[in-house]
Amino acid sequence: MNNQKIIDYVNDQINRADVRAKAYITDEAGKTRAKRSAFLVLNKYLNDYTSGRNTHNRWVAISGLRGTGKTTLLAQLYSELDVPKQRKLFVSADHIVQLLDSSIADVVQAYESIVGESIERVSLPVYLFIDEVQYDSKWAIALKTLYDRSKNIFILSTGSSALEINTNPDTARRVITETLLPMSFTEYQTISTGIYPSQGLGASLRAGILDANTAQDIYRVFADNKPKIAAYWAQVDSHEIPKYLQYGTLPFMAATNNPAIAFDQLERSIDRILSADVAKIGQFNADTIARIPQILYSVADSDALSLNSMSNNLNIPRPTLTRIFGALEVAEVLFKLEPQGSHTSQIRQAAKYVFTTPAIRAMYFSLTGSTRDTQQVLGHLLEDTVAMYLRRMFKDRSLTSSINYSSQAGTADFIVRNKQVVYAIEVGYGKKTTRQIENTKNLPANRIGILLSSNELAVDPANNIVTVPIKEFLLI
């Protein structure tokens, strides 16, 4: 390690971090970017620690797919924190490792040299904002050691997957993990047009679904909020929905109105995810990494997925294919849905995979010139989107909920368990009937059916099924 070089780097970060952060938190015109809902969640950890309300949660890791805006979020949190610049440090581990041939531990040591006291002796809180920690192979032990050295240290880090963090013995008991999912429709509109939904609308609609005992309970909540829903859509063109499904879930894609440019940017981002993240997670060689785009296209173009068939068609051994899908899950490219049923039946039946953002499926359809008609394509993208929304809705209930699918043909797309309530959810872009929900068997008698389509808001009390328009569901 070149000590002086690291010291110079850290000094520069302390003195110029505000300028660098501004590049992330303002657009090309110098206008401050809108904050996503995750900002409020993460800023609360900072405020609770700073105020002394909660000094236990002082290491928060932000995980998620590349391109979801983790670095921008980190810069916004850094800029919002009102403490002297010597007490907050914003660095990126990829710069530390790749440009300086150094480490996070070396940066901490340089910081101690600059402020003239060791971490153990700091009398006031110090805040470390570390981006892309996975570039440092020893990030976990470095941050664990830092956390243990003083209670006057608060760490916000990004980059590693939630699974890597929560299964690492050096981090699991100390860190709070928050996964940054792709943007909701209202976040997309806020960032791209500056249009905000009515305050509390999304929370009210979410609670209406989460706390429902019958389909009529969900119907009443959406009916009661009709004026607010109508007021929102009076400002927003419904043609924004297809744009959102194709390239509006990722901030860097939403910034352009040119789909070709957006998909080109996403393709480069996916290449980076495969060559850097997936290769490291699965310890795959270059030949295996080169085959993964074929696998992702197969997922994008398939209604049902058989690993055995894929193994034969692509000439990839089944164990390797299983490892690839596992790594794609960890990297937040794919989300796995287990079949509905007992653990024994889940082992016997194939899992179903959806993309964590519909933009990836849309990119593969665009690159290969899919022969599917527009409504079919949008229907697939909508299914990815609903899965993403369900993850967002139930992320705080992970111990008491599950998101599955029915392996029976002609049945609902999702089976969601929330404590004692089971939802059978069918998704369609266009008009649909409730037949597939009614065909979904082996569910509790009190199951709630939810049809998400272009149909009007309606309820069928006899079959305990509520129909919610897609444009209304997207506001939750």
Side-chain angles (χ1 to χ4, degrees):
M1 178 188 76
N2 185 325
N3 290 333
Q4 191 55 51
K5 192 174 182 180
I6 300 299
I7 290 172
D8 290 345
Y9 168 79
V10 174
N11 248 325
D12 188 58
Q13 295 303 304
I14 292 172
N15 292 319
R16 293 180 52 81
D18 287 334
V19 176
R20 292 197 174 98
K22 188 176 180 180
Y24 289 102
I25 67 177
T26 58
D27 60 21
E28 291 79 1
K31 183 180 177 182
T32 301
R33 298 184 191 275
K35 296 180 177 72
R36 296 182 57 186
S37 56
F39 174 87
L40 299 176
V41 175
L42 292 161
N43 202 41
K44 186 176 187 304
Y45 288 115
L46 272 169
N47 289 338
D48 285 352
Y49 176 77
T50 302
S51 66
R53 286 191 297 270
N54 186 338
T55 58
H56 299 291
N57 297 335
R58 51 189 181 84
W59 180 4
V60 182
I62 309 168
S63 65
L65 178 71
R66 282 180 186 263
T68 50
K70 296 186 295 297
T71 302
T72 297
L73 184 56
L74 202 65
Q76 289 172 328
L77 292 162
Y78 172 88
S79 298
E80 194 81 6
L81 181 63
D82 186 19
V83 300
K85 63 182 182 181
Q86 291 80 9
R87 285 175 44 210
K88 58 180 183 177
L89 181 62
F90 184 10
V91 296
S92 181
D94 61 335
H95 295 163
I96 295 168
V97 174
Q98 295 187 331
L99 299 182
L100 301 174
D101 192 25
S102 190
S103 67
I104 292 171
D106 291 338
V107 165
V108 172
Q109 187 177 339
Y111 176 79
E112 291 174 311
S113 175
I114 291 167
V115 298
E117 57 183 346
S118 67
I119 291 298
E120 289 87 351
R121 293 181 178 275
V122 292
S123 55
L124 293 172
V126 172
Y127 301 84
L128 298 182
F129 298 78
I130 308 177
D131 199 20
E132 301 276 23
V133 294
Q134 77 278 0
Y135 279 91
D136 185 341
S137 61
K138 297 181 179 179
W139 67 267
I141 188 63
L143 294 184
K144 176 258 184 188
T145 301
L146 184 61
Y147 177 95
D148 289 344
R149 287 174 65 188
S150 173
K151 292 185 178 180
N152 278 332
I153 292 293
F154 186 97
I155 305 167
L156 261 169
S157 61
T158 76
S160 290
S161 74
L163 183 61
E164 280 188 296
I165 294 166
N166 292 328
T167 57
N168 190 308
D170 291 323
T171 65
R173 292 183 294 106
R174 295 167 177 82
V175 67
I176 302 293
T177 308
E178 292 286 347
T179 300
L180 184 63
L181 295 174
M183 294 192 295
S184 67
F185 180 81
T186 54
E187 287 179 318
Y188 160 64
Q189 283 298 302
T190 297
I191 286 174
S192 60
T193 67
I195 296 173
Y196 288 80
S198 175
Q199 188 171 5
L201 174 59
S204 175
L205 298 178
R206 284 193 298 275
I209 295 174
L210 292 171
D211 299 334
N213 292 308
T214 67
Q216 285 180 296
D217 292 338
I218 298 174
Y219 173 83
R220 276 192 291 269
V221 169
F222 278 83
D224 290 346
N225 280 286
K226 267 293 187 193
K228 291 182 178 180
I229 293 170
Y232 180 81
W233 282 106
Q235 305 173 78
V236 179
D237 189 330
S238 61
H239 288 98
E240 288 292 309
I241 294 177
K243 293 181 183 178
Y244 167 71
L245 296 178
Q246 294 175 81
Y247 56 87
T249 53
L250 296 175
F252 72 91
M253 296 181 73
T256 176
N257 281 321
N258 186 322
I261 293 174
F263 290 139
D264 182 62
Q265 291 174 330
L266 179 58
E267 185 179 17
R268 291 200 299 269
S269 180
I270 294 296
D271 287 344
R272 182 65 177 153
I273 291 168
L274 299 184
S275 63
D277 301 339
V278 173
K280 180 182 176 183
I281 292 165
Q283 297 294 298
F284 300 120
N285 60 32
D287 289 341
T288 301
I289 292 297
R291 308 290 298 280
I292 296 180
Q294 293 176 276
I295 295 170
L296 291 175
Y297 173 68
S298 295
V299 175
D301 201 44
S302 302
D303 294 317
L305 190 66
S306 166
L307 291 189
N308 286 332
S309 296
M310 185 179 289
S311 175
N312 292 330
N313 292 337
L314 299 180
N315 195 27
I316 300 174
R318 173 64 187 266
T320 302
L321 200 57
T322 300
R323 286 175 52 228
I324 289 172
F325 274 94
L328 290 168
E329 276 188 83
V330 173
E332 288 281 335
V333 175
L334 296 177
F335 177 59
K336 183 180 182 180
L337 299 171
E338 296 286 0
Q340 179 253 339
S342 66
H343 181 65
T344 302
S345 66
Q346 287 181 343
I347 293 173
R348 289 200 308 266
Q349 299 174 46
K352 178 179 178 179
Y353 291 90
V354 295
F355 288 98
T356 54
T357 165
I360 300 176
R361 193 187 299 267
M363 178 194 73
Y364 281 110
F365 281 154
S366 173
L367 290 175
T368 58
S370 174
T371 57
R372 297 171 185 263
D373 63 44
T374 301
Q375 189 153 310
Q376 279 184 311
V377 169
L378 291 174
H380 278 286
L381 302 184
L382 186 58
E383 193 172 330
D384 292 328
T385 304
V386 170
M388 180 184 80
Y389 267 67
L390 292 174
R391 288 184 68 193
R392 185 190 301 266
M393 284 178 65
F394 291 97
K395 74 181 183 69
D396 294 328
R397 304 186 179 204
S398 58
L399 297 178
T400 58
S401 66
S402 63
I403 305 172
N404 302 101
Y405 83 102
S406 173
S407 59
Q408 303 277 317
T411 55
D413 291 313
F414 300 99
I415 308 297
V416 181
R417 295 180 181 272
N418 176 34
K419 296 181 180 178
Q420 303 303 313
V421 178
V422 176
Y423 310 86
I425 303 174
E426 175 63 17
V427 180
Y429 197 92
K431 301 288 185 182
K432 290 210 73 168
T433 70
T434 60
R435 178 175 52 83
Q436 286 178 265
I437 294 175
E438 294 169 38
N439 287 345
T440 308
K441 307 301 182 184
N442 301 321
L443 297 179
N446 67 340
R447 75 95 180 92
I448 298 174
I450 303 177
L451 174 62
L452 304 175
S453 68
S454 298
N455 300 16
E456 294 296 317
L457 180 68
V459 65
D460 175 1
N463 287 305
N464 203 24
I465 299 174
V466 61
T467 299
V468 177
I470 285 298
K471 64 191 301 183
E472 298 187 12
F473 177 81
L474 288 174
L475 305 187
I476 66 173

